[in-house]
Amino acid sequence: MNETVRRLLPLAIPSLLVGVLCSLILLLVSGLANLLQDFLWITVPAAFGIPGYSPGWILLTLTVAGLLVGLVVWKVPGHGGADPAKAELIEPPQSLGVLPSLALTAIIGLAGGVSLGPENPIIAINVALAVWLGMRLMPRFGGEIYLILAAAGTIGALFGTPVAAALIFSETVIGKVETPLWDRLFAPLVAAGAGALTTAVLAGEEFALDVAAYPGFHIGDWVSGSLIASAAALIGLAAVYLFPLAYAGFRRMSHPVARLTFAGLLLGCLGMLGGHLTLFKGLHEMKELTATAASYSGLALLMMGLIKVAALLVAGTSGFRGGRIFPAVFAGVALGLSVNSFFPSIPIALALTSAVLGILLAVTRSGWLSLFTAMVVVPDLKLLPVLCVVVLPAWLLVTGRPHMIIKSDEK
């Protein structure tokens, strides 16, 4: 057995365990959020004889969700974790005392219809637990490896495949630079694979949309796809540039209860305008929107995409806990459906993937993650060579621009 194998093989067991743990925690938090969501949007309004997604109920529920999250941030120890507007997707581990309030704020937001995904708070929870447990049970590997394993396991569980984790970590320097990439990715891939398989066996949510297959490459597809991706990227960039302005505006309301209640009210107004499909993280909603797209005009679909971006901007800067990937994907799907409605000659598969690719480039600034997610939304390998070209002009638009995050020294 050579030295590399002796170094990597002992990591297999902790990687598997961390991946499974990350998936179970994701499923637990998601399950609790789903139960609360059914209670808030089905059980309670039915008891009062009110349609669950009536405009008034949308406004009331989101306002109350803002109030509850504000109370947790104000009164519960841990204050819901670090400021989410300043947090990257993968952050250093937080203390265990933060986790109950972080989980509570995430569950309330997910159930209450806030336009944020579970990725950031779930990764933060899993990283903190994995580092704490790992350093007590198997400390010889070091805390950094458990951070990486937890992030990879959670990403694998979220997307249902270890490929997403591999692509994200291929853009990040982990381990020694001189170590071959696949050696550095060995343990994260084991964790991501374990997380993905656990989620698939126990739950099995998928991003894939049921749309007509891509008919095959036409030279004009490079042009139309590039224009769609660039337009979506510009919409995403508009939100990026508005992000610090919205953050500064909300921070004028220093008390978290007042700030988050007001933000919930704004989200309720946006929900009334866009309808129930523009609420929540957007995974189930984008599937429903795609299935019913024929009943909406191109302008209505465009407005739904823009409303989702606006809701993401409000939720992400006011203090709600959650990630930006899931709602950005919904916005991209709505924009792609709008393009297909206005220009039916553009294949729907190309319109959807190009729009998702473009907006994610602006929001995440990760080329691999954006390309991967677009392909997961419409898993057709015939699209891959087209998207590899389509991504280039959109990347030129976003590279060197500000990121959708508040720097620590900004107030």
Side-chain angles (χ1 to χ4, degrees):
M1 187 182 296
N2 64 44
E3 181 182 350
T4 301
V5 174
R6 285 197 300 270
R7 177 171 52 84
L8 295 179
L9 194 57
L11 286 169
I13 297 302
S15 299
L16 283 169
L17 294 176
V18 169
V20 172
L21 175 66
C22 290
S23 175
L24 293 176
I25 293 173
L26 168 64
L27 294 176
L28 174 62
V29 172
S30 298
L32 292 173
N34 289 337
L35 289 174
L36 181 58
Q37 178 180 329
D38 290 344
F39 178 75
L40 292 176
W41 296 94
I42 298 175
T43 305
V44 176
F48 289 99
I50 302 171
Y53 292 118
S54 63
W57 192 255
I58 289 174
L59 182 65
L60 175 62
T61 303
L62 277 158
T63 304
V64 171
L67 171 64
L68 293 176
V69 172
L71 289 171
V72 173
V73 172
W74 180 37
K75 285 294 187 182
V76 177
H79 307 292
D83 187 342
K86 297 182 178 180
E88 299 279 2
L89 182 63
I90 302 172
E91 288 274 307
Q94 301 184 45
S95 67
L96 293 186
V98 167
L99 303 191
S101 62
L102 178 58
L104 188 55
T105 54
I107 289 169
I108 294 171
L110 289 169
V114 176
S115 291
L116 291 174
E119 59 271 23
N120 286 55
I122 295 296
I123 290 176
I125 291 169
N126 284 342
V127 163
L129 286 174
V131 171
W132 186 84
L133 286 171
M135 291 305 292
R136 277 151 184 80
L137 299 177
M138 290 178 280
R140 68 190 179 99
F141 295 115
E144 183 181 6
I145 188 64
Y146 290 112
L147 184 156
I148 293 169
L149 293 179
T154 309
I155 292 168
L158 282 164
F159 290 96
T161 169
V163 176
L167 293 175
I168 289 174
F169 282 107
S170 71
E171 295 181 323
T172 307
V173 178
I174 57 174
K176 297 179 180 179
V177 178
E178 63 271 17
T179 302
L181 177 61
W182 278 93
D183 285 352
R184 287 184 274 140
L185 289 179
F186 175 81
L189 274 175
V190 172
L197 289 173
T198 303
T199 301
V201 169
L202 298 179
E205 285 188 334
E206 293 184 354
F207 273 76
L209 300 176
D210 184 14
V211 296
Y214 180 56
F217 174 69
H218 184 275
I219 191 66
D221 292 348
W222 274 342
V223 177
S224 56
S226 296
L227 290 174
I228 295 167
S230 298
L234 288 173
I235 291 172
L237 277 179
V240 169
Y241 277 101
L242 288 171
F243 200 77
L245 300 177
Y247 181 82
F250 279 116
R251 285 312 178 274
R252 292 180 182 274
M253 305 176 71
S254 58
H255 200 288
V257 174
R259 182 175 68 250
L260 283 155
T261 302
F262 177 65
L265 177 65
L266 290 180
L267 290 174
C269 293
L270 289 170
M272 292 171 64
L273 184 62
H276 75 278
L277 291 181
T278 61
L279 306 178
F280 305 104
K281 65 182 180 183
L283 179 58
H284 298 294
E285 290 72 25
M286 73 180 188
K287 294 180 179 180
E288 183 177 344
L289 179 63
T290 302
T292 59
S295 61
Y296 297 98
S297 67
L299 182 59
L301 292 166
L302 174 61
M303 288 303 300
M304 292 173 77
L306 295 177
I307 287 169
K308 191 67 171 182
V309 173
L312 167 59
L313 187 61
V314 171
T317 57
S318 59
F320 284 102
R321 272 53 179 172
R324 299 155 202 160
I325 295 174
F326 282 75
V329 172
F330 175 93
V333 168
L335 295 173
L337 291 171
S338 174
V339 169
N340 180 253
S341 178
F342 284 121
F343 305 99
S345 60
I346 298 177
I348 187 169
L350 176 65
L352 288 170
T353 52
S354 298
V356 169
L357 174 63
I359 198 164
L360 280 178
L361 282 175
V363 171
T364 69
R365 207 55 55 84
S366 170
W368 281 127
L369 178 62
S370 303
L371 187 60
F372 163 80
T373 306
M375 286 298 301
V376 170
V377 168
V378 183
D380 190 336
L381 286 178
K382 296 193 297 293
L383 281 164
L384 184 56
V386 183
L387 294 180
C388 286
V389 175
V390 164
V391 70
L392 300 178
W395 179 255
L396 291 178
L397 285 174
V398 304
T399 187
R401 307 288 183 180
H403 288 220
M404 187 176 266
I405 192 168
I406 301 299
K407 296 178 180 178
S408 297
D409 56 352
E410 293 184 68
K411 302 294 184 180

